[in-house]
Amino acid sequence: MEVAHTPDGYWILSGWVNEYEDAQATMKQAKEQFIKANPLIDSAKVVVVNGEFKQSLYQADPIPSRPYTNQ
């Protein structure tokens, strides 16, 4: 599983569970192991995702005043 940390303090564990495994049990076990290995982390801020987690970028990109044209 991959680990990501969001700007608002959440820890996201993401990865794919094999179809022959019990997804809920596997994700619960991953969360429990992560919390046990990191006891200082607030367990309410640990989230497990079955799949890929794509974190949006928090950047202050300027908004163009007009739509982009290819000219």
Side-chain angles (χ1 to χ4, degrees):
M1 296 202 109
E2 295 182 20
V3 178
H5 189 250
T6 65
D8 54 350
Y10 283 87
W11 292 90
I12 313 297
L13 310 177
S14 62
W16 297 98
V17 177
N18 295 327
E19 48 186 80
Y20 57 85
E21 294 179 290
D22 181 4
Q24 288 183 336
T26 301
M27 294 180 347
K28 181 180 178 182
Q29 183 180 17
K31 181 176 180 175
E32 289 171 352
Q33 289 176 353
F34 182 79
I35 293 168
K36 186 176 180 180
N38 301 283
L40 300 178
I41 292 176
D42 179 7
S43 62
K45 294 229 174 195
V46 177
V47 179
V48 183
V49 177
N50 183 20
E52 185 178 354
F53 174 69
K54 294 184 179 183
Q55 185 171 352
S56 59
L57 299 175
Y58 294 98
Q59 296 178 352
D61 292 334
I63 299 173
S65 59
R66 59 187 171 102
Y68 173 78
T69 58
N70 192 10
Q71 294 179 5

